[in-house]
PDB file of all heavy atoms in Angstrom:
ATOM      1  N   GLN A 343     -10.004  -7.576  17.432  1.00 73.00           N
ATOM      2  CA  GLN A 343      -9.879  -9.016  17.581  1.00 73.00           C
ATOM      3  C   GLN A 343      -8.434  -9.467  17.590  1.00 73.00           C
ATOM      4  O   GLN A 343      -7.546  -8.792  17.110  1.00 73.00           O
ATOM      5  CB  GLN A 343     -10.639  -9.738  16.472  1.00 73.00           C
ATOM      6  CG  GLN A 343     -10.188  -9.369  15.066  1.00 73.00           C
ATOM      7  CD  GLN A 343     -10.974 -10.114  14.014  1.00 73.00           C
ATOM      8  OE1 GLN A 343     -10.984 -11.335  13.998  1.00 73.00           O
ATOM      9  NE2 GLN A 343     -11.631  -9.380  13.134  1.00 73.00           N
ATOM     10  N   ASP A 344      -8.222 -10.639  18.150  1.00 65.00           N
ATOM     11  CA  ASP A 344      -6.921 -11.276  18.207  1.00 65.00           C
ATOM     12  C   ASP A 344      -7.111 -12.721  17.775  1.00 65.00           C
ATOM     13  O   ASP A 344      -7.772 -13.502  18.461  1.00 65.00           O
ATOM     14  CB  ASP A 344      -6.350 -11.207  19.630  1.00 65.00           C
ATOM     15  CG  ASP A 344      -4.970 -11.840  19.726  1.00 65.00           C
ATOM     16  OD1 ASP A 344      -4.342 -12.040  18.671  1.00 65.00           O
ATOM     17  OD2 ASP A 344      -4.537 -12.125  20.854  1.00 65.00           O
ATOM     18  N   ASP A 345      -6.569 -13.067  16.614  1.00 60.00           N
ATOM     19  CA  ASP A 345      -6.720 -14.426  16.082  1.00 60.00           C
ATOM     20  C   ASP A 345      -8.184 -14.815  15.933  1.00 60.00           C
ATOM     21  O   ASP A 345      -8.578 -15.950  16.216  1.00 60.00           O
ATOM     22  CB  ASP A 345      -5.990 -15.435  16.963  1.00 60.00           C
ATOM     23  CG  ASP A 345      -4.492 -15.182  16.989  1.00 60.00           C
ATOM     24  OD1 ASP A 345      -3.957 -14.732  15.954  1.00 60.00           O
ATOM     25  OD2 ASP A 345      -3.863 -15.426  18.029  1.00 60.00           O
ATOM     26  N   GLY A 346      -9.000 -13.878  15.492  1.00 64.00           N
ATOM     27  CA  GLY A 346     -10.399 -14.173  15.231  1.00 64.00           C
ATOM     28  C   GLY A 346     -11.292 -14.168  16.443  1.00 64.00           C
ATOM     29  O   GLY A 346     -12.483 -14.435  16.344  1.00 64.00           O
ATOM     30  N   ILE A 347     -10.740 -13.873  17.613  1.00 65.00           N
ATOM     31  CA  ILE A 347     -11.539 -13.828  18.840  1.00 65.00           C
ATOM     32  C   ILE A 347     -11.753 -12.372  19.222  1.00 65.00           C
ATOM     33  O   ILE A 347     -10.801 -11.616  19.392  1.00 65.00           O
ATOM     34  CB  ILE A 347     -10.843 -14.584  19.991  1.00 65.00           C
ATOM     35  CG1 ILE A 347     -10.620 -16.043  19.590  1.00 65.00           C
ATOM     36  CG2 ILE A 347     -11.662 -14.477  21.273  1.00 65.00           C
ATOM     37  CD1 ILE A 347      -9.799 -16.811  20.588  1.00 65.00           C
ATOM     38  N   LEU A 348     -12.994 -11.968  19.345  1.00 68.00           N
ATOM     39  CA  LEU A 348     -13.303 -10.583  19.665  1.00 68.00           C
ATOM     40  C   LEU A 348     -12.848 -10.267  21.083  1.00 68.00           C
ATOM     41  O   LEU A 348     -13.173 -10.964  22.040  1.00 68.00           O
ATOM     42  CB  LEU A 348     -14.812 -10.349  19.543  1.00 68.00           C
ATOM     43  CG  LEU A 348     -15.253  -8.904  19.470  1.00 68.00           C
ATOM     44  CD1 LEU A 348     -14.769  -8.250  18.182  1.00 68.00           C
ATOM     45  CD2 LEU A 348     -16.764  -8.828  19.540  1.00 68.00           C
ATOM     46  N   GLU A 349     -12.077  -9.199  21.204  1.00 69.00           N
ATOM     47  CA  GLU A 349     -11.555  -8.824  22.508  1.00 69.00           C
ATOM     48  C   GLU A 349     -12.570  -8.006  23.301  1.00 69.00           C
ATOM     49  O   GLU A 349     -13.212  -7.115  22.764  1.00 69.00           O
ATOM     50  CB  GLU A 349     -10.262  -8.025  22.346  1.00 69.00           C
ATOM     51  CG  GLU A 349      -9.106  -8.852  21.782  1.00 69.00           C
ATOM     52  CD  GLU A 349      -7.832  -8.052  21.672  1.00 69.00           C
ATOM     53  OE1 GLU A 349      -7.901  -6.814  21.840  1.00 69.00           O
ATOM     54  OE2 GLU A 349      -6.780  -8.646  21.432  1.00 69.00           O
ATOM     55  N   VAL A 350     -12.708  -8.314  24.573  1.00 71.00           N
ATOM     56  CA  VAL A 350     -13.508  -7.497  25.469  1.00 71.00           C
ATOM     57  C   VAL A 350     -12.729  -6.230  25.766  1.00 71.00           C
ATOM     58  O   VAL A 350     -11.551  -6.274  26.086  1.00 71.00           O
ATOM     59  CB  VAL A 350     -13.814  -8.250  26.786  1.00 71.00           C
ATOM     60  CG1 VAL A 350     -14.588  -7.364  27.741  1.00 71.00           C
ATOM     61  CG2 VAL A 350     -14.569  -9.534  26.502  1.00 71.00           C
ATOM     62  N   GLN A 351     -13.388  -5.082  25.631  1.00 73.00           N
ATOM     63  CA  GLN A 351     -12.676  -3.824  25.771  1.00 73.00           C
ATOM     64  C   GLN A 351     -12.971  -3.167  27.109  1.00 73.00           C
ATOM     65  O   GLN A 351     -14.109  -3.144  27.565  1.00 73.00           O
ATOM     66  CB  GLN A 351     -13.068  -2.869  24.651  1.00 73.00           C
ATOM     67  CG  GLN A 351     -12.315  -1.572  24.681  1.00 73.00           C
ATOM     68  CD  GLN A 351     -10.822  -1.816  24.678  1.00 73.00           C
ATOM     69  OE1 GLN A 351     -10.298  -2.485  23.803  1.00 73.00           O
ATOM     70  NE2 GLN A 351     -10.129  -1.291  25.666  1.00 73.00           N
ATOM     71  N   GLY A 352     -11.939  -2.635  27.729  1.00 76.00           N
ATOM     72  CA  GLY A 352     -12.098  -1.932  28.989  1.00 76.00           C
ATOM     73  C   GLY A 352     -12.034  -0.434  28.820  1.00 76.00           C
ATOM     74  O   GLY A 352     -11.284   0.079  27.997  1.00 76.00           O
ATOM     75  N   LEU A 353     -12.845   0.291  29.596  1.00 82.00           N
ATOM     76  CA  LEU A 353     -12.843   1.746  29.587  1.00 82.00           C
ATOM     77  C   LEU A 353     -12.649   2.249  31.008  1.00 82.00           C
ATOM     78  O   LEU A 353     -13.162   1.670  31.963  1.00 82.00           O
ATOM     79  CB  LEU A 353     -14.177   2.289  29.053  1.00 82.00           C
ATOM     80  CG  LEU A 353     -14.659   1.777  27.698  1.00 82.00           C
ATOM     81  CD1 LEU A 353     -16.017   2.375  27.388  1.00 82.00           C
ATOM     82  CD2 LEU A 353     -13.666   2.096  26.611  1.00 82.00           C
ATOM     83  N   ASP A 354     -11.908   3.335  31.139  1.00 84.00           N
ATOM     84  CA  ASP A 354     -11.737   3.970  32.435  1.00 84.00           C
ATOM     85  C   ASP A 354     -12.615   5.215  32.484  1.00 84.00           C
ATOM     86  O   ASP A 354     -12.761   5.914  31.478  1.00 84.00           O
ATOM     87  CB  ASP A 354     -10.278   4.355  32.652  1.00 84.00           C
ATOM     88  CG  ASP A 354      -9.872   4.220  34.100  1.00 84.00           C
ATOM     89  OD1 ASP A 354     -10.767   4.030  34.936  1.00 84.00           O
ATOM     90  OD2 ASP A 354      -8.674   4.312  34.402  1.00 84.00           O
TER      91      ASP A 354
END
Side-chain angles (χ1 to χ4, degrees):
Q343 58 180 302
D344 181 16
D345 297 327
I347 301 173
L348 196 66
E349 293 182 349
V350 177
Q351 183 55 55
L353 307 177
D354 214 349

